[in-house]
Amino acid sequence: MRKWVGRIGFALLVVLFVAFVALATWEPFWAKRDDVRLSDRAYSAEITRDEFGVPHIYGKTDADVAYGVARAHAEDDFATLQDVIAMARGRYGAIAGEDGAAVDYVYHLLDARGTAERHYPELPEDTRALFEAYATGLNDYAKLHRGEVRLDNLFPVDGVDVAAGFALRQPFFFGLNGTIEPLVKGTDLLPEFGPAIGKPKQARAFPLPWAEDGALSGSNAFAVAPKRSGDGVTRLVSNSHQPWRGGVAWYELVVESGEGWHYAGANFPGSPYPFLGHNEDLGWTNTVNRPDMTDVYKLVLDESGKKYRMGDKWLPLKETTVTLPVRIGPLVLPIQRTVYRSIHGPVIINDRGAFAIRYGGMDNLGQLDAYYRLNKAKSLDEWQSILARMDIPSTNFIYGDAKGNIAYVYNAAMPDRPKGYDWRGVLPGDDPKAIWKGPVAYSALPKYVNPSSGWLYNSNNSPFTAAGAADDIAPASVAPEMGVELKTTNRSRRAWKLLSEAETIDRATLEKIKYDTGYERAGYVGDLWAALAKLKLDPKSDEGKARALLMDWDFTADNEGRADSLALLMIKDFMSAEYQNKPLPDVGEKLAWAVDHLKTHFGRIDPPMSDLLRLRQGSVDLPLDGGSDTLRASTTWDVQEDGRLAVKHGDSFVQFAEWAPGKRVKSQSIQPYGAATTRPKSMHYADQATLFVQHRLKPVHFWREDVLANAVSRYTVSHDPGRN
């Protein structure tokens, strides 16, 4: 009997071992494919790095340059590029576990791969050439550095794979996850941003692209015309607020080809070209906007749950079973899920019913070509004609050029919705008239061109404050069905006030505004201080003393006031609630928490804010200023073991571009860390940090002679299809 038990036990161990090996190794074999369309072109690019490691990429053709973009970016941050490619292949869960699998589910739900496969062949040949060259650059780097590859059979990739990454990520920039997440969980949907149609309702969170970093996203942008600049210079300031690491962290570069492509700016991992910056003639920057881009429909299903009613017909609900790889320790579990689609779009079924989603820019890959054309635009008319295609789903554009023009376009491929429905609520899924067909006309978008004030700005606020009292357009001029947001931010209040008060907006004034650390005692900040005033506290207690400090605060997060640290800790969660239209926190509880945190880690309630708020990268540990929702943005942070706040999201890529009369464009820029943010051994891991905390900029070497005069390294990367 003991022998049988022993044999059974041994057999069980063998089975468990086989199962372990299978779960540890199945995913790369499952993911292997033979449909990768590798480019048969040769590429050659010169990469010249300046004193800060910023790559300047040259090639005879635009495709040569795109190849070099991939190679340069991989040298600096191949780890993040692999995350992006894994997401574009539906394999992120094999790297990032459950959180990655959630992204993979959305990849299948939105049919990102299908969108790319359907529409990539429709793109112009030269645009496809960029994406194929970029994919080749990633493949070559992976082949040359096999030890850095984190997931077997992730490479090679092709242009369609890179395009699928765009198709997946673009809806997150206008907050689609804020719809998907509650539908998956079966919780209440919060209606979209935009004016109420009927009864006022609460707005939903805005993830960019996911979780808190998205919900608290923000940016500033400024343009000043020659008539207000004091010296005849057109100035454009890009002040994006993005996470400092990861798939939507900015990467600075300058590109130049023999085919007329010459641009200085920044992109996200996975892109062959910059998304913002400037060329010789013009430039633009972006801020996130929050229009109502998404509509939810409740479907009427038959008894089988396999069909849904549309008018007087019953249509089949399309079902697809997908496999999500989910890494747990050394194992990768294959989890199967079913995704559904109707003629509206993706469908999510929960305990409350079946809900279809339809969103602006759905099944459109045109932005891949639009950004490329914007990079090479030469005039305001040409630039606007590209935006007018409505291929870029959402984001504000602030513009300036060498001729002195400035402009602001509230860009969004907002659905062209018919009247008669509550577009801020859940719509009838069986009414064919409620299914819109495309975006509104470009002429319907809020926009400003050369306002009389001579300045424009946006700080993630409603487009109805942008140019000063004499030029701001009225909310009533835009149909409520479009869903243009009406919210403002503290940054907007400050920018509008400071720009309106300035007689001349010269370079020094513009820098002072950009680095402003002030709060207006209005909106949620006013509500917070009103609540503090009503608290009944013992004036001798720590909370009472903290409240007294806050009541005397000067409302500037400049590292000078005794209450700066307290205010920094208090304001963030109130800002978060305001941005998401959630109830404001309990002020007494927040005050007690802030006091406890400071007493625990600093032994006092009034430590200098410079001791609390830090820029940390490797061995670099520097004081920061600003706060959540100040123009000098230190938006979110990780609370570290020593109680310090290590900022992870806020002012990121900053660029000042200037067109002076009769002179060539010049610009300056800065990043929080450096060009090689995931390479601790690189001298450019954090070499911009000191300048960043000191409000200083570094030169952008746009012109070839300047690049060569400041070159630290210069080399050629190439691809020969006959040898690869």
Side-chain angles (χ1 to χ4, degrees):
M1 186 67 174
R2 290 182 180 177
K3 291 183 179 180
W4 280 106
V5 172
R7 291 173 181 171
I8 292 172
F10 179 76
L12 181 59
L13 287 175
V14 171
V15 170
L16 290 175
F17 176 75
V18 171
F20 178 88
V21 172
L23 290 174
T25 60
W26 71 273
E27 198 275 342
F29 292 101
W30 166 79
K32 190 173 183 179
R33 56 194 188 138
D34 55 11
D35 62 342
V36 180
R37 300 181 181 90
L38 297 178
S39 173
D40 59 0
R41 290 182 55 173
Y43 304 105
S44 180
E46 176 194 309
I47 300 174
T48 301
R49 292 187 180 270
D50 64 22
E51 67 270 38
F52 286 95
V54 174
H56 301 253
I57 304 157
Y58 302 91
K60 290 183 179 180
T61 68
D62 293 355
D64 287 328
V65 171
Y67 174 83
V69 169
R71 291 291 298 268
H73 202 162
E75 290 170 3
D76 290 330
D77 191 4
F78 191 46
T80 300
L81 285 167
Q82 290 180 77
D83 284 343
V84 171
I85 292 299
M87 286 190 285
R89 295 275 307 275
R91 298 180 62 195
Y92 192 41
I95 291 177
E98 290 187 40
D99 290 341
V103 176
D104 294 339
Y105 168 76
V106 176
Y107 166 86
H108 293 290
L109 180 72
L110 303 187
D111 192 25
R113 181 77 190 186
T115 298
E117 290 179 343
R118 283 189 295 275
H119 300 297
Y120 185 79
E122 300 169 359
L123 294 172
E125 183 178 355
D126 57 347
T127 300
R128 284 184 280 118
L130 286 190
F131 280 78
E132 287 150 15
Y134 182 82
T136 304
L138 295 179
N139 294 337
D140 284 359
Y141 186 89
K143 187 179 296 184
L144 292 168
H145 302 84
R146 297 183 189 275
E148 294 185 31
V149 176
R150 300 159 61 197
L151 193 60
D152 288 343
N153 286 335
L154 185 59
F155 298 97
V157 295
D158 58 22
V160 176
D161 293 315
V162 181
F166 277 68
L168 169 62
R169 292 198 290 176
Q170 68 183 25
F172 287 98
F173 284 84
F174 55 76
L176 185 60
N177 188 55
T179 299
I180 293 173
E181 186 173 4
L183 285 177
V184 170
K185 293 180 177 178
T187 56
D188 289 344
L189 268 174
L190 297 177
E192 298 86 349
F193 284 94
I197 301 177
K199 185 172 66 175
K201 297 177 181 177
Q202 197 176 35
R204 82 155 65 96
F206 180 71
L208 178 60
W210 201 271
E212 184 190 49
D213 276 349
L216 305 188
S217 63
S219 296
N220 305 316
F222 307 92
V224 179
K227 68 179 181 180
R228 289 301 305 278
S229 65
D231 52 7
V233 175
T234 305
R235 290 190 173 90
L236 175 69
V237 179
S238 177
N239 178 205
S240 182
H241 302 163
Q242 288 293 114
W244 291 359
R245 300 179 179 89
V248 286
W250 290 113
Y251 180 72
E252 185 177 7
L253 69 167
V254 180
V255 295
E256 185 173 359
S257 82
E259 295 181 330
W261 184 19
H262 190 188
Y263 200 92
N267 71 356
F268 292 147
S271 169
Y273 39 57
F275 287 132
L276 50 75
H278 69 85
N279 61 29
E280 297 178 37
D281 303 295
L282 57 84
W284 73 86
T285 187
N286 300 119
T287 65
V288 171
N289 55 4
R290 296 175 284 186
D292 175 5
M293 294 282 285
T294 308
D295 292 315
V296 177
Y297 302 78
K298 186 168 185 179
L299 303 182
V300 179
L301 300 181
D302 68 0
E303 292 183 359
S304 70
K306 302 292 185 181
K307 294 183 178 181
Y308 62 97
R309 189 170 65 201
M310 178 54 59
D312 57 358
K313 298 179 180 179
W314 290 93
L315 303 178
L317 189 64
K318 295 182 179 179
E319 297 184 23
T320 305
T321 300
V322 300
T323 299
L324 309 178
V326 184
R327 177 168 294 281
I328 301 176
L331 306 180
V332 178
L333 303 180
I335 305 299
Q336 291 196 326
R337 290 288 183 266
T338 302
V339 294
Y340 304 90
R341 297 189 72 81
S342 69
I343 62 172
H344 310 78
V347 174
I348 296 172
I349 299 176
N350 59 37
D351 292 341
R352 300 184 179 189
F355 298 88
I357 304 169
R358 192 169 184 82
Y359 54 91
M362 187 169 68
D363 200 39
N364 181 2
L365 212 58
Q367 71 161 316
L368 277 68
D369 179 67
Y371 272 112
Y372 177 35
R373 305 302 166 191
L374 287 174
N375 267 236
K376 301 181 78 169
K378 296 297 183 183
S379 68
L380 175 59
D381 287 344
E382 182 183 1
W383 183 83
Q384 281 209 84
S385 71
I386 297 164
L387 286 187
R389 291 162 38 179
M390 306 296 280
D391 280 330
I392 299 174
S394 71
T395 191
N396 293 307
F397 279 80
I398 304 286
Y399 169 99
D401 69 24
K403 294 184 177 180
N405 296 304
I406 62 172
Y408 163 35
V409 178
Y410 183 88
N411 172 75
M414 288 178 284
D416 189 7
R417 302 176 173 110
K419 295 181 182 295
Y421 298 91
D422 181 3
W423 296 101
R424 307 292 96 82
V426 177
L427 299 157
D430 58 347
D431 184 351
K433 295 181 180 179
I435 303 177
W436 43 265
K437 304 301 182 185
V440 299
Y442 179 73
S443 59
L445 299 179
K447 62 179 74 68
Y448 301 77
V449 177
N450 295 325
S452 66
S453 66
W455 55 264
L456 287 163
Y457 85 96
N458 185 265
S459 292
N460 307 108
N461 54 286
S462 163
F464 306 119
T465 53
D471 295 279
D472 287 341
I473 60 179
S477 66
V478 178
E481 288 79 12
M482 290 173 63
V484 175
E485 76 256 33
L486 302 177
K487 294 181 68 64
T488 190
T489 60
N490 177 72
R491 289 175 290 112
S492 172
R493 291 185 177 97
R494 292 292 296 173
W496 195 92
K497 176 182 179 180
L498 295 171
L499 288 163
S500 297
E501 291 175 349
E503 292 186 7
T504 299
I505 310 172
D506 57 14
R507 174 64 183 258
T509 301
L510 194 54
E511 287 184 2
K512 186 177 180 180
I513 292 171
K514 183 269 151 296
Y515 288 109
D516 178 72
T517 60
Y519 286 95
E520 292 296 306
R521 192 166 175 170
Y524 69 90
V525 178
D527 293 339
L528 168 54
W529 258 257
L532 280 170
K534 293 178 181 178
L535 281 181
K536 296 181 179 180
L537 299 170
D538 180 354
K540 296 181 180 180
S541 68
D542 286 336
E543 285 87 351
K545 294 175 182 177
R547 193 264 299 271
L549 285 173
L550 288 167
M551 296 310 295
D552 289 335
W553 189 46
D554 63 359
F555 289 89
T556 56
D558 57 3
N559 284 331
E560 295 183 7
R562 288 182 62 204
D564 283 3
S565 290
L566 282 165
L568 181 77
L569 293 174
M570 293 291 292
I571 286 174
K572 176 179 174 291
D573 286 349
F574 281 78
M575 180 205 75
S576 175
E578 166 69 13
Y579 272 37
Q580 301 177 71
N581 272 358
K582 293 180 178 179
L584 295 179
D586 181 277
V587 69
E589 292 178 1
K590 286 301 302 178
L591 182 62
W593 172 83
V595 167
D596 179 70
H597 183 84
L598 295 176
K599 290 279 288 184
T600 298
H601 295 286
F602 299 91
R604 54 192 285 196
I605 62 173
D606 61 345
M609 195 181 83
S610 56
D611 288 352
L612 176 66
L613 192 69
R614 312 294 293 182
L615 183 155
R616 287 180 164 177
Q617 171 82 326
S619 61
V620 173
D621 188 358
L622 298 170
L624 269 170
D625 59 349
S628 303
D629 203 16
T630 55
L631 289 167
R632 168 49 154 182
S634 296
T635 309
T636 67
W637 47 72
D638 289 323
V639 181
Q640 303 203 315
E641 289 186 6
D642 62 359
R644 270 67 178 180
L645 312 179
V647 175
K648 62 180 180 179
H649 187 163
D651 273 8
S652 49
F653 177 69
V654 179
Q655 184 187 67
F656 277 64
E658 299 180 325
W659 290 269
K663 296 183 179 180
R664 300 188 302 183
V665 65
K666 70 174 184 178
S667 57
Q668 296 172 292
S669 67
I670 201 68
Q671 292 257 57
Y673 298 143
T677 57
T678 62
R679 304 285 192 184
K681 295 181 180 180
S682 170
M683 64 183 294
H684 305 299
Y685 183 57
D687 60 335
Q688 298 183 45
T690 299
L691 295 176
F692 180 84
V693 301
Q694 294 174 349
H695 302 178
R696 295 165 61 195
L697 304 171
K698 63 176 184 59
V700 172
H701 303 299
F702 185 71
W703 302 101
R704 177 74 167 172
E705 60 268 27
D706 294 333
V707 177
L708 295 178
N710 292 278
V712 173
S713 65
R714 184 181 177 192
Y715 52 96
T716 298
V717 293
S718 60
H719 173 83
D720 181 349
R723 299 180 61 184
N724 288 273

